């Protein structure tokens, strides 16, 4: 997709990282440098800002893209809905990467439904190569119809590899030229009605646009059954039909533009076929538009599962059932044996959570979206809703218990990138409303979960760094102190001080500042690795409550051993061990 964007003259690209879309922007930057293209490429503070930057570039006549994951599109939904009415000048592509499953998301929502709500066309690639090709088509459609166009890859497309032949990079020789038109660009509600009418007319034209029309891949069939598929489901279905002798059982159509579905295609399906199977992830978007539930088999009819991925094995089962054949039996999956996901050895977040539990053992712990969500395994995370919700929920918990006359300690946790993304407005609200809780900002100076993308506190070569403590003070918070959580005793005392302040005066903020160990650009203190001496009682507090992967309980000896292959030497376990059996350096017995 990144290659397709650069090849097709995109010159402004903005994104906020979120799997499975995280690699798009970094790949754009790689191609920008390789091809020496004059582009603006940025990690924006959140998806809404990312959308607005790219849309403004489109308003000047340049080609632009914004990229995000499906829940990020929720954050950008406000400008998305309005931009659909206002339209575009230069080509504007909105990449929303969906996560059926889900593998790394709060939901497996279908961005095509958001495109339907916004009334913009959406293209659904079935492979990396097709995604590259559809980028060009998206720009073409955006400029011809003056509307944003969504490209909606899913996890299996984003995380697949495929050889492609690179094409020359287009130099469109465009210069920014914003032409003032208040009736369009600053339209009041009166003019918005007219823009809505125009958008509906545009959708009708897009529903007849030949380059994005569905394709019948085996047109020689004369039977009255058809399979209609889009996205990676189409790729899986093609493989299954070819390999299992089903190719001649029914006609096969691939839909690359699931919305708006082509009007002529809908009429063709209704006239030519008695039974139609629709394969798509995750919602029945195509199925809804066919509007013939007597003949259509899909998610709405219960023929196709309504949740989860449509993996090849599941598609094979569905196709055989549609063909009236028994489906081959699948071997039972052997349950995987292994350790549950946990924070990395030496991760400063582990120390932060341990200190929080020590300082507020009966507290409520709202948390947020990031690798630190794994604090749930440590007993330090009670709620995870969406980006920035830790602060809003902390305020909500405070008000609920205040009304009941039952004060509770509340300690919320949020990452540095997430704080900039969505934490500032709820923090202001909490201060204004007099909420009382502790907010621990887990500042590891990177966006760790999605691949160590930069945060505003790191700055850029062309701009300045933004200091978290200054932002917190600007929100009206009177208690804001920083400390390294790897110094567990001192950090625990700081959290206790913050709790004491919050009980009497208001929001207290603690910035847990320590670099991510996976971030190779950060400087890390060199410490000796830990070792366990014979005094170990085998209480398992270090492996159970602290849960460091580098500490392993040995059933034979009844003691804990250090896995020196992964121990980072952070030294926090020395303060965790109740009998002081862990020390830095030395040789294990």
């Amino acid at each position: 997709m990144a290659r397709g964007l650069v090849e097709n003259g995109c010159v402004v690209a903005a994104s906020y990282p979120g799997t499975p879309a995280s690699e798009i922007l970094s790949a754009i930057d790689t191609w920008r440098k390789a091809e020496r293209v004059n582009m603006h490429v940025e990690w924006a503070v959140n998806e809404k800002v990312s959308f607005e930057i790219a849309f403004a570039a489109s308003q000047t006549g340049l080609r632009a893209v914004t990229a995000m994951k499906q829940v990020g599109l929720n954050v950008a939904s406000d400008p998305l809905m309005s931009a659909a009415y206002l339209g575009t000048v230069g080509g504007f592509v909105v990449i929303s990467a969906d996560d059926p499953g889900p593998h790394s998301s709060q939901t497996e929502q279908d961005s095509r439904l958001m495109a339907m709500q916004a009334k913009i066309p959406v293209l659904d690639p079935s492979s990396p190569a097709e995604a590259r090709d559809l980028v060009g088509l998206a720009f073409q459609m955006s400029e011809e119809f003056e509307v944003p166009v969504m490209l909606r890859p899913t996890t299996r497309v984003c995380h697949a590899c495929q050889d492609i032949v690179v094409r020359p990079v287009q130099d469109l020789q465009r210069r920014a030229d914003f032409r003032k038109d208040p009736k369009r660009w600053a339209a009041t509600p009166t003019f918005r009605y007219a823009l809505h009418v125009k958008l509906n007319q545009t959708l009708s034209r897009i529903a007849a646009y030949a380059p994005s029309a569905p394709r019948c891949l085996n047109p020689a069939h004369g039977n009255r059954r058809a399979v209609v598929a889009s996205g990676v489901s189409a790729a899986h279905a093609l493989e299954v039909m070819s390999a299992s002798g089903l190719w001649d059982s029914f006609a096969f159509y691939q839909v690359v533009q699931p919305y708006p579905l082509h009007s002529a295609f809908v009429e063709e399906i209704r006239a030519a076929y008695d039974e139609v199977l629709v394969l798509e992830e995750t919602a029945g978007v195509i199925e809804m538009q066919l509007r013939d539930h007597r003949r259509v088999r899909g998610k709405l009819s219960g023929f196709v599962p309504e949740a989860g991925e449509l993996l090849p094995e599941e598609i094979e089962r569905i196709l055989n059932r549609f063909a009236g054949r028994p489906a081959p039996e699948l071997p039972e999956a052997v349950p995987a044996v292994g350790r549950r996901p946990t924070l990395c050895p030496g991760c400063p977040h582990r120390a932060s959570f341990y200190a929080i539990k020590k300082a507020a053992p009966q507290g409520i712990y709202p948390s947020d979206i990031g690798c630190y969500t794994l604090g749930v395994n440590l007993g330090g995370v009670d709620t995870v809703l969406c980006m920035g919700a830790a602060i809003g929920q902390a305020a909500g918990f405070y008000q609920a218990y205040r009304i009941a006359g039952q004060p509770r300690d509340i300690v919320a946790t949020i990452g540095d990138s997430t704080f900039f993304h969505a934490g500032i407005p709820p923090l202001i609200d909490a201060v204004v409303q007099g909420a009382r809780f502790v907010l621990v900002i887990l500042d590891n100076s990177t966006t760790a979960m999605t691949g160590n993308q930069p945060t505003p506190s790191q700055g850029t070569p062309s701009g300045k760094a933004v200091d978290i403590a200054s932002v917190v003070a600007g929100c009206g918070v009177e208690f804001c102190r920083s400390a390294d959580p790897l110094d567990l005793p001192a950090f625990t005392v700081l959290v206790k001080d913050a709790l004491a302040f919050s009980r009497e005066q208001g929001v207290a903020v603690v910035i847990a500042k320590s670099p991510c160990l996976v971030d190779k650009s950060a400087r890390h203190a060199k410490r000796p690795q830990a070792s366990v001496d014979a005094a170990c009682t085998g209480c398992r507090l270090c492996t159970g409550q602290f849960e460091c992967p580098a500490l392993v309980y040995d059933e034979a000896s009844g003691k804990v051993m250090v896995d020196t292959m992964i121990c980072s030497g952070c030294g926090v376990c020395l303060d965790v061990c109740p009998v002081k059996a862990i020390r830095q350096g030395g040789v294990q017995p």
Side-chain angles (χ1 to χ4, degrees):
M1 285 181 282
R3 179 66 199 184
L5 288 161
V6 175
E7 287 177 348
N8 283 278
C10 178
V11 293
V12 173
S15 177
Y16 183 81
T19 305
S22 301
E23 293 82 6
I24 296 172
L25 194 82
S26 55
I28 291 172
D29 200 46
T30 298
W31 284 117
R32 174 189 69 82
K33 294 173 183 175
E35 297 287 356
R36 298 181 180 179
V37 179
N38 183 20
M39 294 181 69
H40 173 72
V41 180
E42 76 159 84
W43 290 114
V45 71
N46 64 28
E47 294 86 357
K48 180 178 184 291
V49 174
S50 167
F51 187 105
E52 291 159 353
I53 290 167
F55 180 63
S58 166
Q59 289 175 299
T60 72
L62 304 181
R63 286 188 168 181
V65 66
T66 181
M68 61 201 71
K69 67 182 297 176
Q70 87 283 12
V71 288
L73 190 61
N74 298 338
V75 179
S77 61
D78 201 2
L80 170 67
M81 300 298 162
S82 190
Y85 278 35
L86 303 180
T88 63
V89 180
F92 180 37
V93 177
V94 180
I95 299 179
S96 183
D98 280 4
D99 187 22
H103 296 278
S104 58
S105 307
Q106 306 96 290
T107 69
E108 55 175 347
Q109 67 198 59
D110 192 327
S111 294
R112 299 176 304 163
L113 292 173
M114 193 76 86
M116 291 180 71
Q117 185 178 356
K119 296 189 173 181
I120 64 170
V122 57
L123 304 177
D124 206 355
S126 64
S127 68
E130 188 170 59
R132 190 270 295 262
D133 292 340
L134 290 182
V135 165
L137 179 59
F139 275 133
Q140 179 181 327
M141 292 175 65
S142 180
E143 292 178 348
E144 182 167 339
F145 296 104
E146 296 187 339
V147 69
V149 176
M150 181 184 292
L151 181 67
R152 181 255 188 180
T154 58
T155 300
R156 299 295 175 178
V157 172
C158 292
H159 289 177
C161 295
Q162 184 173 8
D163 290 338
I164 60 170
V165 177
V166 297
R167 298 168 185 149
V169 173
Q170 299 181 47
D171 183 1
L172 302 180
Q173 295 291 320
R174 295 183 183 177
R175 297 177 65 87
D177 181 19
F178 176 66
R179 301 188 179 184
K180 296 185 179 184
D181 183 0
K183 290 183 180 179
R184 179 183 183 185
W185 301 128
T188 59
T190 301
F191 293 111
R192 295 279 173 153
Y193 172 78
L195 292 174
H196 189 189
V197 171
K198 181 181 178 182
L199 178 59
N200 289 338
Q201 295 168 347
T202 299
L203 277 178
S204 297
R205 291 165 49 214
I206 294 173
Y209 188 59
S212 60
R215 297 174 296 156
C216 184
L217 303 185
N218 52 357
H221 290 293
N223 59 52
R224 302 285 296 180
R225 289 187 297 179
V227 173
V228 177
S230 71
V232 76
S233 298
H236 293 333
L238 279 172
E239 292 180 359
V240 169
M241 289 174 63
S242 299
S244 58
L246 292 170
W247 188 247
D248 295 323
S249 299
F250 17 71
F252 182 85
Y253 290 85
Q254 182 187 357
V255 175
V256 297
Q257 181 185 293
Y259 180 80
L261 198 59
H262 283 67
S263 304
F265 171 70
V266 173
E267 295 304 318
E268 178 186 350
I269 291 294
R270 288 177 177 173
Y273 302 103
D274 298 325
E275 293 181 87
V276 180
L277 171 65
V278 181
L279 297 172
E280 55 185 329
E281 293 177 331
T282 305
V285 170
I286 296 171
E287 187 181 357
M288 281 189 282
Q289 294 173 88
L290 289 175
R291 298 188 297 273
D292 191 343
H293 301 310
R294 291 174 300 172
R295 288 184 287 180
V296 176
R297 308 286 182 267
K299 293 176 178 292
L300 301 178
S301 69
F303 201 88
V304 178
E306 289 189 84
E309 286 188 283
L310 291 181
L311 296 173
E313 299 83 359
E314 181 65 25
I315 285 179
E316 183 176 17
R317 184 189 67 79
I318 295 168
L319 286 170
N320 276 288
R321 181 182 171 197
F322 186 61
R325 300 192 336 185
E329 289 191 15
L330 298 175
E332 286 191 24
V334 179
V337 179
R339 179 178 291 186
R340 65 183 180 180
T342 189
L343 294 166
C344 300
C347 175
H349 299 340
R350 177 178 284 104
S352 294
F353 284 122
Y354 195 80
I356 289 167
K357 290 191 300 176
K358 279 288 200 180
Q362 302 302 317
I364 299 174
Y365 312 130
S367 195
D368 227 291
I369 305 299
C371 55
Y372 53 90
T373 303
L374 289 170
V376 69
N377 294 341
L378 306 173
V381 170
D382 291 328
T383 69
V384 179
L385 182 62
C386 62
M387 297 284 279
I391 303 174
Q393 288 194 288
F397 282 127
Y398 166 74
Q399 301 295 0
Y401 279 95
R402 180 190 62 80
I403 292 169
Q406 300 172 314
R408 291 285 298 272
D409 286 337
I410 301 166
V411 184
T413 49
I414 190 170
D416 48 341
S417 180
T418 308
F419 174 72
F420 284 116
H421 176 284
I424 298 170
L427 182 58
I428 294 172
D429 185 84
V431 171
V432 169
Q433 297 297 330
R436 299 181 183 182
F437 60 87
V438 173
L439 172 64
V440 178
I441 301 176
L442 303 167
D443 181 10
N444 59 6
S445 301
T446 188
T447 313
M449 187 171 70
T450 51
N452 295 114
Q453 292 84 7
T455 71
S457 62
Q458 294 169 269
T460 64
S462 59
K464 297 180 180 179
V466 177
D467 178 58
I468 293 177
S470 298
V471 173
V472 170
C475 292
V477 176
E478 296 179 358
F479 184 108
C480 180
R481 299 179 192 169
S482 300
D484 187 345
L486 297 184
D487 184 355
L488 187 61
F491 190 79
T492 304
V493 169
L494 176 56
V495 176
K496 289 180 178 179
D497 291 344
L499 281 163
F501 179 92
S502 70
R503 290 168 189 147
E504 300 297 330
Q505 300 188 56
V507 178
V509 173
V510 173
I511 301 175
K513 192 164 183 60
S514 191
C516 172
L517 293 182
V518 179
D519 185 3
K520 296 179 181 177
S521 66
R523 292 183 178 180
H524 303 286
K526 298 292 184 182
R527 300 182 176 95
Q529 288 186 315
S531 62
V532 182
D533 62 30
C536 175
T537 62
C539 69
R540 303 198 197 188
L541 187 146
C542 62
T543 59
Q545 294 185 37
F546 189 60
E547 200 180 82
C548 178
L551 299 173
V552 182
Y553 180 75
D554 180 44
E555 296 286 350
S557 66
K559 297 182 183 296
V560 169
M561 304 288 288
V562 175
D563 184 346
T564 56
M565 292 295 291
I566 61 174
C567 175
S568 69
C570 71
V572 178
C573 57
L574 278 68
D575 296 309
V576 169
C577 179
V579 297
K580 303 301 179 183
I582 306 177
R583 60 179 183 272
Q584 282 188 314
V587 180
Q588 298 182 113

